[in-house]
Amino acid sequence: MFGPFRITSALSGGLLWKIPWRLSPTQKARQRRRLRAVDTVVEVLSNSLAKTGQKCTAVERWKAEMPTEAEMLPRDKYTMFDRKAKRYRKGIHKLPKWTRVSQRLNPPGF
Amino acid sequence: MPYWRITLHRSAIGLPKRTKGVLAALGLHKRCQVVFKPVHPQFAGMIMKVKELVKVEEVDRPKTKRELQDERKPDPGFVVEKRGSEMRGALPWAREVGEGEVRL
């Protein structure tokens, strides 16, 4: 029952994916909440820097290049580019540490 | 001078060393810890590195450790209207115990 040679469905049956291929509605809601939280942080930083008349390249670049949660397309919120996946898309939850990293942009055309 | 109140919301377990290093440089070592940093591009850049892990607010002045503790205190459920030391004259049967303290 225990040990390295135990029989589990993943070991004996060959290919068995334990990660569902798409996100559940709750996961998607939490993902949107996390995206908005990051947007808020950037907003707070740029607002208080603007108030004191200062500039930060990292904040400016993010604001110029990255779409906010509201501007993003659903397919960019919940899926990401993968050159090996069918139709070049996979669920964003396949990205390691996906709840704590930002992954907003994908190659144009994919 | 405005400050940023930075709270570590998500832990950096399993994230790159540099991310952990940025958190350590900000003085954040455990979840829900709060630090105050002045509004300055240098700190803005550091927060940008860990923006997925922290919550940021702008405040006028940093809070002391005591004030942060008081924030977390639950409502005691009563209001102190008068202290014992103020009641010394009002209650003739109360005897004085020590400096400024009165016991009934």
Side-chain angles (χ1 to χ4, degrees):
Chain A
M1 201 154 78
F2 304 109
F5 303 112
R6 64 196 180 280
I7 297 168
T8 62
S9 34
L11 285 175
S12 54
L15 189 66
L16 178 70
W17 292 101
K18 290 293 189 70
I19 307 173
W21 74 273
R22 65 181 145 196
L23 295 174
S24 74
T26 355
Q27 280 176 311
K28 291 206 272 188
R30 285 196 296 262
Q31 166 73 353
R32 288 193 298 276
R33 202 168 63 193
R34 282 191 296 267
L35 288 170
R36 281 199 299 272
V38 172
D39 289 343
T40 330
V41 169
V42 177
E43 202 56 40
V44 167
L45 292 183
S46 81
N47 279 351
S48 38
L49 282 175
K51 250 190 256 170
T52 52
Q54 299 177 100
K55 268 186 183 177
C56 175
T57 324
V59 180
E60 307 235 313
R61 268 200 73 179
W62 179 274
K63 289 206 82 173
E65 291 175 13
M66 289 293 174
T68 62
E69 191 264 340
E71 290 163 5
M72 282 173 78
L73 295 172
R75 58 187 246 118
D76 282 337
K77 285 183 205 174
Y78 314 123
T79 61
M80 61 182 289
F81 173 76
D82 178 17
R83 67 193 168 119
K84 302 183 297 297
K86 207 184 244 185
R87 304 194 61 200
Y88 302 106
R89 280 276 164 173
K90 67 179 180 182
I92 198 162
H93 58 301
K94 307 261 183 167
L95 176 73
K97 320 284 175 210
W98 68 286
T99 62
R100 289 181 288 155
V101 294
S102 284
Q103 156 49 49
R104 297 200 179 201
L105 290 182
N106 286 293
F110 290 94
Chain B
M1 185 175 172
Y3 282 79
W4 280 315
R5 180 201 166 112
I6 312 160
T7 315
L8 184 60
H9 183 53
R10 305 287 312 270
S11 113
I13 292 176
L15 289 181
K17 257 187 203 157
R18 301 206 53 165
T19 314
K20 285 188 187 178
V22 171
L23 285 182
L26 280 169
L28 292 167
H29 297 283
K30 46 185 176 181
R31 262 200 68 202
C32 298
Q33 196 181 354
V34 178
V35 291
F36 292 89
K37 294 287 174 201
V39 168
H40 191 273
Q42 190 187 340
F43 291 111
M46 286 162 80
I47 297 169
M48 282 304 281
K49 286 272 177 210
V50 291
K51 58 192 170 309
E52 296 89 4
L53 310 179
V54 294
K55 285 179 178 172
V56 183
E57 279 174 68
E58 199 194 316
V59 290
D60 294 331
R61 61 174 191 87
K63 282 193 172 182
T64 60
K65 206 174 174 185
R66 188 58 192 272
E67 284 171 324
L68 286 174
Q69 277 173 359
D70 285 346
E71 258 180 28
R72 294 197 300 271
K73 253 188 198 165
D75 180 22
F78 60 85
V79 182
V80 178
E81 289 186 348
K82 250 184 218 170
R83 299 249 169 229
S85 51
E86 294 163 18
M87 291 167 74
R88 198 184 312 162
L91 304 168
W93 62 85
R95 60 193 170 85
E96 239 176 86
V97 192
E99 192 63 30
E101 201 185 331
V102 169
R103 200 161 286 165
L104 294 176

